[in-house]
Amino acid sequence: MALLDYRNDMQRCSRCSLCKWPPLAQIKSWRFSNVCPSMVWGNFHAYSAGGKLIAALSLLDGRIDYSDKFLEIVYQCQMGGACDVSCKVTRDLEPLEVMLELRAKCVEDGQLLPAHMVMIESLRNDDNPMGKLKAERGKWAEGLDVKDITREKADVLYFAGCRYSFDQDLWGIARGAVTLLKKAGVDVGISGKEEACCGGRAYEMGYRGELTKYAEHNIETWNTAGVRTVVTSCSDCYGTFKYHYPKVGKTMNFEVLHITEYLDRLIKEGKLKPTRKVPLQVTYHDPCHLGRLSEAYIPWEGVERKVLGQIVIQDPPKEFRRGTNGIYEPPRDVLKSIPGLELVEMERIKEYAWCCGAGGGVKEAYPDFALWTAKERIEEAEATGAEALVTACPWCERNFRDALEQDGEKMKLYNIVELLLEAL
Amino acid sequence: MALTRNVYQILEDIVGPENISEEPVILDSYAFLWLAETVTDSKFFTRPEAVVMPGSTEEVQAIVRACNRYGVKYKALSTGWGPWNAPGDEGVVQVDLRKMNRILEIDEKNMYAVVEPYVIFSQLQVEAMKRGLTCHIIGAGANTSPLASCTSMSGMGLSGISMSYNARNPLAVEWILPTGDILRLGSLGCGAGWFCGDGPGLSLRGIMRGTHGAMGGLGIFTKCAVKLYPWPGPRQMHFEGVSPGHVAAIPQNFRCYVLSFPSWDSFADAAYKIGEAEIGYVMGKQIAAGIVPLMAARSPTEYAQIRESGMADEIMQEFRYALQLILGAHSLREIEYQERALQEILAETGGWIPSPTQDPERQKTTFRMMIKVDGNSAIFRLSGSFGTSFGAETSCDAAMVHARLGEEIKKKYIEKGVIADDGAEWAWGAEMNEHGRFAHIEELFMYDPADPESAKGAAEFIEETSLLTAKQAPGLAIWELARGGLGPKAHDIYGPACSNYHVWQRRIKKAFDPNFSADATFYIEPEE
Ligand SMILES: Cc1cc2nc3c(=O)[nH]c(=O)nc-3n(C[C@H](O)[C@H](O)[C@@H](O)COP(=O)(O)OP(=O)(O)OC[C@H]3O[C@@H](n4cnc5c(N)ncnc54)[C@H](O)[C@@H]3O)c2cc1C
Ligand code: SF4
Ligand code: SF4
């Protein structure tokens, strides 16, 4: 689909502003009642999802042209999709798709952000958007006793993703994940320096070609390697595999799991037994790409028709992704399986969780906005009284770490993997 | 007609560079509004010249003074949902009050909250519920501003039966008059706090908003004390489930019903009796017969299949004259009494409780939608938009006249294919404000804003029903029609049928706004 295909969605936006709030019944206090970081940061209506739909319509209709402000409105947004969930509580519109198409159009029309261009150049040269050398990709696993699937067969491929591969502060988590899998007797391998980006971040920034390239490459590599399962600790990669990869139309002969799903399964099968007490009160941050954005791709090709006068239907019927089927319980179940650990919930959770701030190319292009968004979440975590904030995504973790460091905050930060390791 | 650099600079100095914009991409997001296509043939009204976002009363006052001084018009908005936010013409500065978003105080004992313009009902309600209180929420939804509907516009909603409508609910108000002077209405004016909206001396509440509100035409309201009401439910409602369905258990001291009746007459009889018995907590006609099949469908496509198969005809008929009712009591004995009273009323009026609505899961959803008022934008779901008609604040019997007229006229437009076939019935309202003192009925209809023919049909429907209201159905038609259907001449058409209110309204406008600085479009043009 192209931007123009969503013109009716733009015209049918009612400007209700529901995309600025969590589903209304889930608002629990004045303080934590916003759901759209872009809107709170930018304040003018144009920054909301509805506002971006209007901007897209205006652009298509030639009422406005590109400007620096236009690009700021388009790109100062994490593409975390909370807006999409709130809109779809009552509507059958696709605000997030419009926003993705709008970015793709910007890129097509050469309306690029310098910070994103740097990422894309790095991606084209070194298969990662982080400005790191490809040759260094496998370093995170040095000394780890794990198969290399480029040389030997394994049932399960552990996909580290760019952030875990190159962010040395986080290497321990990727290593810990592999350790846990091995402890549970999983036949696991990695691709080391041959691993390539998932392409998801580029797609969200509007660079469509990059996603197709990596999706085709990765699917082909994993099919050829004969792996039965691809497991990743990165929520962004996971969301990309579940939602964007099926779009390229290549058969995927493997199952995709997030590490928290896999660990949950292993615990429930009795293959991992958390027995050591971890006396800690924690709160869990749902990463956007593991939660609402991890819903599987639902192919739909059809047309819009009118019946009963002016009732608009999709023919054949279209299933909308409304955030209903994200991965919400497995990470919580893993946490609940840890003796002594108590999980307390924040106000904005699951499909209406507040974003960590790192996504959509925001951390690179608008670092202040990214950190502000993280701090807002940290405040919400602190308000629960929990001692620690737990997450399951390296991008969230990086951004929370940076925010905590900047403010000298005391709140502890963990990945689920670290807590489970402690409990074994 | 862009603002002169001088004026722009003055406004920028007031709010700071980050809080003013004349970027077309930003301006268009204010020009784009619901129903615009029924007036302008596009989704856009006239662009404002600039948008300013003040953060305090002082800043609002300085903006208004600057506008007066330099002959620029201004138009305020709170959350900005609806055509009445649009500048009527070129040369208007939009004052977006989004940054004024605080609940300043909740006075539990005196049962009011002081809010700024960008607080929404959902926020106020959850904070009030923590104290055993709640607020009346307008039918538009809990995503709108209590201050906006209390001070400036309409205010009807289904909790009106026990909490009245929002013309009654503002107490003291901080008001930047069209000239820039500050008026502190009611008790605030003599330093006695926020508890009362009247006096000392004459009450100005009627002038401030009257029945329908000045819709931005009489200055800018910066703070408002909103009356709160007892909430006999839990301090925090826990909604289970994942989007799009969130449900909470119905507390033991509440009941949630859909009541059906054989005719409009028995419907009205029952509404009056429920009002007289003072047993309703939330009540009104929300669900149209044509919408009922959507409850059994997962998508508009499935909905259409059910409708086209004829399977829904019977159930639509059963819901044709249906009221939704929540009973809420402070004790179990009281709720039992209310239930018995209701049973008697049903027996007297021939009403019944349709069996599909007795499903506890469905009841939970209805309960949520009526207490949280979170589902109303579903009205846009089937066709992309809706419009409305009639809607005078009047007796329930007179409202039934509107309902009948609405059905008749709708059939014609359904036949033309320009609006959705909803079975020619979507009367909305009958909320029986103040336990029955007055109610209103709007006839809603669905159209497609992306389809020029449909939008044109919607415009014609609005115009025809607006004229009909003036001629055949006493009472002033609902707000948006004043402009959308009949244009600036609306008040001159309605006025003679409604005690010549337009003469007084014009005088008020002239007296309060000598420089005609507050954009008058949706209020009243100062000159005939
Ligand atoms: C789909 C839909 C359904 C609706 N249904 C109902 C309903 O059932 N009952 C009902 O009562 N209303 C209804 N309305 C109308 C509604 O009352 C108004 O739109 C309204 O008050 C919404 O609040 P808001 O925050 O969006 O106000 P806005 O839309 O921002 O403002 C409404 C009007 O008040 C003026 N205004 C707002 N704030 C201020 C201020 N601080 N100072 C001066 N002027 C101000 C604006 O200029 C505008 O003319 C409906 C509207 C829509 C879009
Ligand atoms: S995008 Fe959806 S939620 Fe946002 S304003 Fe438009 S219709 Fe409302
Ligand atoms: S994706 Fe996130 S930041 Fe962007 S508009 Fe939606 S809610 Fe706001």
Side-chain angles (χ1 to χ4, degrees):
Chain A
M1 303 263 285
L3 188 61
L4 194 59
D5 298 324
Y6 290 103
R7 194 164 181 282
N8 285 349
D9 279 33
M10 300 166 203
Q11 290 184 288
R12 291 180 188 136
C13 162
S14 76
R15 204 192 184 280
C16 62
S17 294
L18 284 163
C19 46
K20 297 171 188 170
W21 313 103
L24 296 180
Q26 292 295 6
I27 290 183
K28 299 177 184 84
S29 73
W30 175 86
R31 172 63 188 88
F32 299 114
S33 53
N34 284 287
V35 88
C36 171
S38 182
M39 186 62 205
V40 184
W41 184 253
N43 270 322
F44 292 104
H45 181 77
Y47 287 86
S48 67
K52 288 174 186 115
L53 263 63
I54 299 169
L57 180 65
S58 249
L59 184 75
L60 282 179
D61 288 1
R63 289 174 58 91
I64 56 174
D65 204 349
Y66 291 113
S67 65
D68 288 350
K69 189 49 96 181
F70 184 97
L71 295 185
E72 187 184 290
I73 284 162
V74 170
Y75 289 114
Q76 216 168 67
C77 153
Q78 285 93 351
M79 305 300 272
C83 48
D84 198 66
V85 165
S86 290
C87 179
K88 286 174 176 166
V89 170
T90 49
R91 302 295 306 273
D92 296 335
L93 301 178
E94 295 283 14
L96 187 60
E97 288 297 326
V98 174
M99 283 151 53
L100 285 164
E101 292 298 340
L102 183 56
R103 286 186 172 201
K105 180 167 169 55
C106 289
V107 170
E108 249 172 63
D109 293 348
Q111 301 294 325
L112 314 172
L113 289 190
H116 290 181
M117 286 158 73
V118 171
M119 293 167 77
I120 297 302
E121 203 182 315
S122 163
L123 197 58
R124 288 176 184 159
N125 294 335
D126 286 297
D127 288 335
N128 74 79
M130 300 179 61
K132 302 285 183 182
L133 293 174
K134 184 170 174 69
E136 290 175 8
R137 186 158 192 129
K139 268 188 157 180
W140 67 272
E142 267 174 17
L144 199 64
D145 177 22
V146 60
K147 284 182 178 174
D148 176 349
I149 65 140
T150 62
R151 282 191 270 124
E152 46 188 328
K153 285 226 169 281
D155 280 348
V156 173
L157 168 73
Y158 178 78
F159 184 87
C162 299
R163 177 56 68 187
Y164 278 128
S165 295
F166 295 110
D167 190 332
Q168 205 164 341
D169 289 344
L170 307 180
W171 282 359
I173 292 156
R175 294 170 71 90
V178 173
T179 308
L180 283 170
L181 293 175
K182 292 199 66 175
K183 264 188 203 278
V186 175
D187 178 25
V188 58
I190 60 170
S191 317
K193 70 174 177 8
E194 293 311 317
E195 190 183 278
C197 180
C198 68
R201 181 52 45 86
Y203 184 91
E204 282 181 349
M205 285 160 24
Y207 296 81
R208 289 283 161 88
E210 275 23 67
L211 178 92
T212 313
K213 177 179 123 185
Y214 287 110
E216 285 177 350
H217 165 81
N218 283 333
I219 294 170
E220 213 168 285
T221 310
W222 301 336
N223 281 346
T224 313
V227 293
R228 276 191 281 168
T229 306
V230 173
V231 57
T232 179
S233 301
C234 176
S235 298
D236 274 40
C237 301
Y238 179 76
T240 304
F241 300 154
K242 294 291 268 199
Y243 182 52
H244 295 307
Y245 273 30
K247 288 185 198 164
V248 301
K250 275 191 174 289
T251 313
M252 293 159 75
N253 296 329
F254 46 86
E255 175 192 28
V256 175
L257 290 177
H258 186 260
I259 188 74
T260 55
E261 280 178 293
Y262 208 160
L263 294 175
D264 181 42
R265 214 184 256 185
L266 294 170
I267 293 166
K268 285 176 180 156
E269 286 169 0
K271 292 182 181 153
L272 284 175
K273 293 195 176 89
T275 47
R276 275 228 319 255
K277 273 198 166 175
V278 181
L280 199 64
Q281 199 186 44
V282 304
T283 188
Y284 172 67
H285 166 76
D286 290 272
C288 305
H289 290 81
L290 180 59
R292 56 187 167 246
L293 295 182
S294 77
E295 283 191 311
Y297 175 65
I298 311 168
W300 181 78
E301 250 179 78
V303 289
E304 188 181 289
R305 279 202 303 120
K306 291 265 183 78
V307 295
L308 295 163
Q310 292 295 332
I311 288 176
V312 180
I313 62 163
Q314 282 85 26
D315 188 10
K318 178 176 169 181
E319 279 285 326
F320 286 81
R321 294 165 78 239
R322 297 179 199 271
T324 317
N325 299 310
I327 306 299
Y328 306 119
E329 295 311 326
R332 288 179 167 77
D333 286 350
V334 173
L335 289 171
K336 285 176 196 160
S337 75
I338 298 174
L341 186 139
E342 189 196 343
L343 173 65
V344 287
E345 294 285 7
M346 285 185 269
E347 290 190 11
R348 295 170 291 191
I349 53 168
K350 300 183 183 176
E351 79 279 13
Y352 54 94
W354 178 263
C355 165
C356 77
V362 164
K363 184 143 179 77
E364 296 76 7
Y366 304 103
D368 290 351
F369 173 42
L371 287 180
W372 168 83
T373 309
K375 286 176 191 173
E376 168 78 10
R377 189 60 162 168
I378 291 165
E379 266 190 52
E380 188 177 355
E382 284 169 345
T384 65
E387 301 159 76
L389 173 60
V390 183
T391 186
C393 173
W395 292 89
C396 304
E397 201 163 341
R398 178 74 268 160
N399 209 35
F400 286 144
R401 268 187 189 229
D402 294 346
L404 286 165
E405 261 165 38
Q406 197 180 55
D407 276 8
E409 291 274 352
K410 289 198 194 67
M411 174 142 256
K412 294 177 200 145
L413 181 66
Y414 292 101
N415 188 290
I416 290 187
V417 161
E418 294 172 288
L419 293 173
L420 187 59
L421 271 172
E422 255 187 65
L424 291 179
Chain B
M1 192 186 91
L3 293 181
T4 64
R5 288 310 80 195
N6 180 34
V7 171
Y8 189 87
Q9 190 58 53
I10 286 166
L11 294 173
E12 183 179 303
D13 289 346
I14 296 168
V15 292
E18 65 287 7
N19 295 315
I20 182 166
S21 179
E22 51 183 355
E23 292 277 350
V25 62
I26 290 197
L27 300 184
D28 262 6
S29 73
Y30 293 86
F32 176 104
L33 288 161
W34 172 43
L35 289 171
E37 61 285 352
T38 65
V39 181
T40 70
D41 297 334
S42 90
K43 280 301 307 176
F44 298 89
F45 283 100
T46 309
R47 263 186 203 155
E49 304 304 337
V51 183
V52 284
M53 225 182 279
S56 66
T57 302
E58 292 70 31
E59 287 182 10
V60 174
Q61 184 178 34
I63 292 165
V64 170
R65 285 205 165 130
C67 288
N68 269 275
R69 179 147 181 223
Y70 295 98
V72 176
K73 288 195 191 316
Y74 59 88
K75 173 91 180 178
L77 57 83
S78 288
T79 77
W81 198 18
W84 34 83
N85 290 288
D89 209 340
E90 292 184 348
V92 178
V93 170
Q94 192 100 58
V95 185
D96 181 347
L97 295 159
R98 173 174 161 87
K99 281 178 60 202
M100 298 178 70
N101 64 356
R102 293 168 305 164
I103 300 175
L104 296 167
E105 179 189 345
I106 297 185
D107 185 327
E108 214 169 307
K109 198 166 143 219
N110 293 303
M111 294 173 48
Y112 67 77
V114 183
V115 293
E116 292 187 322
Y118 202 82
V119 170
I120 63 164
F121 284 107
S122 290
Q123 294 172 317
L124 179 59
Q125 191 193 45
V126 287
E127 295 299 345
M129 279 182 173
K130 289 174 189 170
R131 296 155 172 91
L133 299 168
T134 189
C135 54
H136 168 62
I137 300 183
I138 63 169
N143 45 318
T144 58
S145 152
L147 178 140
S149 51
C150 278
T151 60
S152 303
M153 184 167 187
S154 297
M156 293 83 63
L158 302 192
S159 44
I161 187 164
S162 64
M163 305 178 207
S164 192
Y165 90 123
N166 269 350
R168 308 279 201 206
N169 286 323
L171 302 172
V173 172
E174 183 182 84
W175 179 4
I176 311 291
L177 294 174
T179 50
D181 295 326
I182 299 190
L183 179 67
R184 294 188 175 84
L185 207 67
S187 49
L188 194 66
C190 54
W194 293 92
F195 70 94
C196 179
D198 300 312
L202 290 176
S203 172
L204 286 179
R205 274 205 293 182
I207 283 184
M208 175 184 83
R209 64 147 292 158
T211 308
H212 288 253
M215 285 174 260
L218 271 187
I220 302 183
F221 302 96
T222 42
K223 295 185 185 92
C224 173
V226 178
K227 191 161 164 41
L228 301 176
Y229 292 86
W231 164 244
R235 299 279 160 134
Q236 262 188 321
M237 293 180 77
H238 291 288
F239 289 90
E240 307 282 332
V242 183
S243 294
H246 298 275
V247 285
I250 301 178
Q252 279 190 324
N253 51 335
F254 282 84
R255 299 287 182 275
C256 178
Y257 298 108
V258 177
L259 313 173
S260 277
F261 300 92
S263 66
W264 281 129
D265 288 336
S266 51
F267 172 100
D269 286 348
Y272 278 117
K273 284 172 189 280
I274 292 168
E276 277 161 18
E278 296 194 5
I279 57 172
Y281 191 68
V282 181
M283 184 180 86
K285 185 173 184 325
Q286 170 114 326
I287 305 171
I291 286 299
V292 174
L294 195 55
M295 293 179 191
R298 280 173 307 144
S299 65
T301 316
E302 265 185 32
Y303 166 85
Q305 283 162 354
I306 297 172
R307 284 282 311 277
E308 286 178 327
S309 70
M311 272 156 48
D313 293 354
E314 207 175 306
I315 189 136
M316 281 170 63
Q317 191 53 38
E318 183 167 14
F319 277 83
R320 208 166 174 89
Y321 314 106
L323 264 178
Q324 286 77 58
L325 172 69
I326 288 185
L327 302 179
H330 292 269
S331 69
L332 293 181
R333 273 187 67 199
E334 189 189 353
I335 196 75
E336 281 160 19
Y337 161 78
Q338 293 192 8
E339 268 188 297
R340 283 200 305 276
L342 177 66
Q343 289 305 333
E344 262 181 46
I345 292 169
L346 288 178
E348 284 165 15
T349 55
W352 70 96
I353 301 169
S355 51
T357 67
Q358 293 177 29
D359 168 23
E361 289 311 305
R362 287 236 168 90
Q363 283 183 343
K364 282 185 192 168
T365 304
T366 310
F367 183 75
R368 188 206 73 218
M369 285 170 62
M370 290 182 73
I371 294 290
K372 304 302 288 185
V373 201
D374 65 337
N376 293 2
S377 77
I379 201 168
F380 290 88
R381 188 170 178 207
L382 287 174
S383 68
S385 192
F386 84 101
T388 186
S389 52
F390 302 100
E393 308 307 322
T394 183
S395 69
C396 192
D397 284 331
M400 296 301 106
V401 176
H402 297 188
R404 290 191 179 97
L405 277 171
E407 288 180 5
E408 275 318 302
I409 200 155
K410 202 178 213 180
K411 284 182 192 148
K412 204 167 73 187
Y413 286 83
I414 290 174
E415 260 165 43
K416 282 197 228 167
V418 289
I419 63 173
D421 175 359
D422 59 2
E425 186 279 310
W426 197 341
W428 187 96
E431 68 279 21
M432 301 304 278
N433 295 291
E434 298 163 16
H435 293 295
R437 231 180 53 73
F438 62 102
H440 86 293
I441 281 281
E442 297 170 38
E443 183 67 29
L444 311 187
F445 64 95
M446 295 180 270
Y447 75 99
D448 180 5
D451 177 335
E453 278 307 301
S454 185
K456 192 162 155 274
E460 285 167 8
F461 183 93
I462 293 172
E463 183 170 352
E464 190 173 343
T465 49
S466 301
L467 287 171
L468 200 71
T469 312
K471 281 198 205 122
Q472 289 188 30
L476 180 57
I478 195 96
W479 14 268
E480 68 257 34
L481 309 178
R483 185 74 185 193
L486 304 176
K489 62 184 186 298
H491 294 298
D492 296 299
I493 295 171
Y494 285 125
C498 300
S499 315
N500 286 325
Y501 77 86
H502 61 306
V503 175
W504 292 100
Q505 194 159 317
R506 256 192 198 111
R507 283 187 193 160
I508 293 168
K509 174 69 181 168
K510 282 182 184 166
F512 277 71
D513 191 6
N515 301 323
F516 302 148
S517 209
D519 181 358
T521 309
F522 285 83
Y523 182 47
I524 195 160
E525 316 292 331
E527 303 303 338
E528 276 179 49

XYZ file of all heavy atoms in Angstrom, chain B residues 79 172 250:
20
model
N -10.011 21.015 23.849
C -9.409 19.870 23.142
C -9.635 19.991 21.634
O -9.001 19.295 20.866
C -9.950 18.505 23.629
O -11.242 18.285 23.077
C -10.000 18.416 25.132
N -17.761 28.865 40.359
C -17.018 30.083 40.041
C -16.133 29.874 38.811
O -15.672 28.757 38.559
C -16.179 30.492 41.243
N -19.542 -5.157 37.605
C -20.512 -4.152 38.047
C -20.640 -4.267 39.566
O -20.948 -5.342 40.089
C -21.883 -4.386 37.369
C -21.708 -4.301 35.842
C -22.918 -3.375 37.866
C -22.963 -4.559 35.046
